[in-house]
Amino acid sequence: MFRKMMGGVAVAAVLLAAGMASAQEFSAARISDNIRTISADEYQGRYPGTEGERMVLAWLQAQYEAMGMQPGGPDGQWLQPVELKRYTPVAGATASWTGPDGQVHALTPGTDIVVRAATNDGRASIRDAGVVFVGHGIHAPERQWDDYGDADVRGKVVVVVGGEPDGERFNGEYATNYQSGAYKADEAFRRGAVGIITLVAQPAASPMWQGALRGAARTRTLTPGAADLEFSGAMPHDTAAAWAAAAGLDISQLPNIADGSFKAVALPGVTLSVEVAETIETLVTHNLLARIPGTEHPEETIIYSAHWDHVGGAEQHPTVTGDNIWNGAWDNASGTIGVLEMARQIKAAPAPKRSIVFAHMAAEEMGLMGAYGYAANPVWPLETTVADINIDMLPLSGPTRDVPIFGRGQNELEDRLQALAEPLGRYVSDDGMPEEGFYYRSDHFPFARMGVPAIMPWHGWDWVDGGRAAGEAAWRAKFAADYHKASDEWSADWDLTSAVENLTLLYHLGLDLANSGDWPGWKPTSEFAVVRARSDAARQ
C-alpha cells in the first residue's frame, strides 16, 4: 500500500510532530551575521566557476563539518559537479523544404527560418524529415486535452504554436508548465520527433519575427537533462503558409487549436532538411549537499534546497562603473543561510526516520542549472524523494498573517503547511503575481518537472502591523530597488521576524515528513501528477 496522507488523522499527526519538535529556535542574529559573511565583497558576487564559488562552498562545507553532518554528494563527497555547455551558432547553416512535386525550396536561415543544434553534440544533419503540425503541442490528460491525438511523429519534425490556450482550463491567469518551450520539446522528444519548430504567427517583416531572430542568435546554455532533439527552431507565418499550401491544406478549415477539438495534422508530401552546427564551451560548477541519514528508511529522502550563486562582479559586468559587485545578499545569500540554519536545527533534533538532504544548488541565475543538473543525475533517487522544500530570498519584514507559496493548487504539501500555519492564525495563499510565472523560476521547479512534490514559500504581504496595503507596497518597493542590482547588500536594519516564522513552519513541515510514512501527492489537476505516477511502483 502507498503510505499517504489521511485527512484529519494526518493533520493531527502534523500538529503533534510540531509540538514534539518545538525545542528548535532559529536565531535571527546568526542568520543575519552569516548572510553578511557570504555576501561580502570578498565573495565577488558568487558567480559559478570563479573564486567566489570556491569560497562560498568551502565556507558551507566547514559549517556542515562543524555540525558533524555527513556529505550528501556522489561517492561520499560534499560536491556534485554540474557540467554546463554553452552553444554558439556556427555560420553556414542550411535548410530547405521539398514539396509533394519534388521541388526543393531553399530557406535562408535567419530570414525564412531559425535552426539551432543546441543539444547533445551540437550538430544536426536531417534529410527529408516529414512535418507534422501539432497545435500547441500539449498532451494534458488531466485537462482532457491532447493535441497529438493518434499522430506518429517518430523521425519527424513537429511544428508548434507557442504558449497555451487561454481560460480556466489551463489555470486562468496563472500559467501552467504546458506553455513552456522546454515542455513542448520534452513531449516531442518523448514521442520520437527529431526536431521542433515554433510558429511565430507573424510575417517575416514583423517586429515580432525580427525579435525572435535576435533572440535565436544568442549563445545558449543547455539545461542539463533537456530533451535531446536534433534541432529546434522557429519560423514566420510566411514559411508556414507556403508549406500548408504545398500540402493542399486550408488553414482556415482546421479545427480550432484553442478549444480542445484540434488534433495533429501531417503535411502530406512536405519534408524538411537541415544542416546546422554549434561550437561548445564547457563550464563546470558544483552543488554542495549535506545529509542526515534516516534511521528506518534511509533510502527515502526529503530535500531542503537553495541556490548559493549570484550574478558576479567586475569580470561579469566590465562596463559598470562604481559598485561593480552584485553581492546578492537577499538573492540568495539569505536562502542559502536559511537552509544552513535549517540543517543546524534539524541536526539538534532526534535523528529522523527518513533521510534529509540539504542541497545548495549552483547556477540558478543561469537558468536553474544546478537544480536541473541534480534532477538529471540525482544522487538520491527521485522516485523515493518525498519532497523538495525550496528557499529563495527570505522575507524581510515583521510578522505576517499570510504564507504565500509559488504554485498554489499544485500539491498536497500546501495542505500540510496550512495545517501548521492555521493554529498560529496564519494562512497559505498564492503569490499574488501571476504575470511572473514564479513557480517555474526557482530551484524547486526541476524537481517538480520530474514528479517530485515541491513547494516554495514567498514573502507575506498581509502584515500583522499595517495590513496588506502596507505589506504589498513595502515589498514592491524593495523588489524594485534591489532585485538583481548591485544595491542588494546586507543591512543591519533587516527585520528577519517573518523569515524566522517561515523557517519554523518549514522545519516542522520537513521534519514531520521525515518521521512519517506519508507520500504527499499532486493535486488531480496538476500537470506533474502524471509524471509522478510513472514511478508509483517504487513507493509501494
Side-chain angles (χ1 to χ4, degrees), residues 1-15 17 297 300-302 353-355 383-388 412-413 415-417 419 452-453 508-522 532 539-540:
M1 293 288 293
F2 285 101
R3 299 195 293 275
K4 295 185 72 74
M5 199 166 68
M6 296 180 292
V9 175
V11 170
V14 170
L15 297 177
H297 300 285
E300 299 174 4
T301 303
I302 291 90
K353 295 178 181 179
R354 287 165 155 169
S355 297
E383 295 84 356
T384 51
T385 295
V386 181
D388 172 65
E412 293 169 357
L413 292 173
D415 302 327
R416 303 177 73 91
L417 188 62
V452 177
H508 293 308
L509 176 64
L511 202 55
D512 174 68
L513 286 170
N515 285 309
S516 77
D518 296 345
W519 293 99
W522 293 94
R532 187 65 158 176
R539 295 181 296 282
Q540 289 180 342

Side-chain angles (χ1 to χ4, degrees), residues 47-78:
Y47 194 79
T50 67
E51 176 66 6
E53 168 175 346
R54 188 202 65 77
M55 289 178 66
V56 70
L57 295 183
W59 186 88
L60 286 168
Q61 180 176 329
Q63 295 291 311
Y64 282 116
E65 288 175 339
M67 293 180 203
M69 200 77 75
Q70 292 187 14
D75 303 318
Q77 303 298 309
W78 291 101

Side-chain angles (χ1 to χ4, degrees), residues 121-441:
D121 63 355
R123 295 182 178 278
S125 181
I126 303 299
R127 286 284 179 272
D128 297 322
V131 178
V132 182
F133 177 57
V134 296
H136 283 97
I138 294 172
H139 174 64
E142 77 284 356
R143 289 174 167 80
Q144 294 77 53
W145 191 282
D146 183 10
D147 285 325
Y148 278 89
D150 296 329
D152 181 357
V153 299
R154 287 174 293 180
K156 297 177 182 178
V157 175
V158 299
V159 176
V160 302
V161 173
E164 65 187 2
D166 294 331
E168 293 304 315
R169 197 169 186 176
F170 282 85
N171 282 13
E173 60 182 355
Y174 279 90
T176 74
N177 186 45
Y178 293 123
Q179 52 78 34
S180 74
Y183 160 76
K184 294 171 191 283
D186 285 345
E187 186 65 26
F189 179 69
R190 190 174 71 82
R191 293 170 178 267
V194 295
I196 185 169
I197 297 176
T198 300
L199 171 60
V200 177
Q202 296 287 328
S206 70
M208 183 180 290
W209 175 245
Q210 296 305 311
L213 293 179
R214 289 190 294 273
R218 297 189 187 109
T219 294
R220 295 183 187 173
T221 301
L222 178 64
T223 300
D228 225 0
L229 292 166
E230 290 295 310
F231 77 97
S232 61
M235 67 181 181
H237 175 270
D238 313 57
T239 304
W243 292 4
L249 297 177
D250 182 349
I251 295 177
S252 66
Q253 297 303 308
L254 291 178
N256 190 336
I257 67 169
D259 67 4
S261 61
F262 174 84
K263 292 293 181 266
V265 176
L267 275 61
V270 174
T271 63
L272 181 66
S273 298
V274 169
E275 289 280 349
V276 60
E278 314 256 344
T279 60
I280 304 174
E281 301 172 84
T282 300
L283 168 69
V284 177
T285 185
H286 302 83
N287 298 328
L288 184 145
L289 301 102
R291 182 173 183 255
I292 300 175
T295 58
E296 295 184 16
H297 300 285
E299 74 285 359
E300 299 174 4
T301 303
I302 291 90
I303 295 177
Y304 286 95
S305 60
H307 72 92
W308 57 258
D309 66 303
H310 197 53
V311 298
E315 184 177 347
Q316 289 75 42
H317 308 282
T319 63
V320 173
T321 58
D323 184 358
N324 60 5
I325 295 178
W326 272 243
N327 301 80
W330 189 26
D331 182 16
N332 189 33
S334 68
T336 299
I337 298 307
V339 167
L340 180 71
E341 290 304 303
M342 187 69 67
R344 191 186 310 278
Q345 298 305 318
I346 291 178
K347 188 70 169 66
K353 295 178 181 179
R354 287 165 155 169
S355 297
I356 303 179
V357 167
F358 305 93
H360 296 275
M361 299 303 191
E364 190 269 358
E365 302 289 5
M366 299 172 74
L368 321 184
M369 294 298 180
Y372 274 118
Y374 182 92
N377 296 287
V379 181
W380 310 102
L382 297 181
E383 295 84 356
T384 51
T385 295
V386 181
D388 172 65
I389 301 170
N390 190 56
I391 303 173
D392 197 336
M393 301 169 65
L394 289 175
L396 307 177
S397 75
T400 70
R401 297 180 184 89
D402 56 336
V403 189
I405 62 169
F406 292 169
R408 185 169 182 234
Q410 283 284 4
N411 61 61
E412 293 169 357
L413 292 173
E414 71 182 63
D415 302 327
R416 303 177 73 91
L417 188 62
Q418 174 66 27
L420 289 166
E422 195 167 343
L424 304 174
R426 305 186 71 195
Y427 61 93
V428 172
S429 69
D430 60 40
D431 60 63
M433 301 181 74
E435 71 280 2
E436 294 289 345
F438 276 140
Y439 193 70
Y440 311 101
R441 289 176 49 186

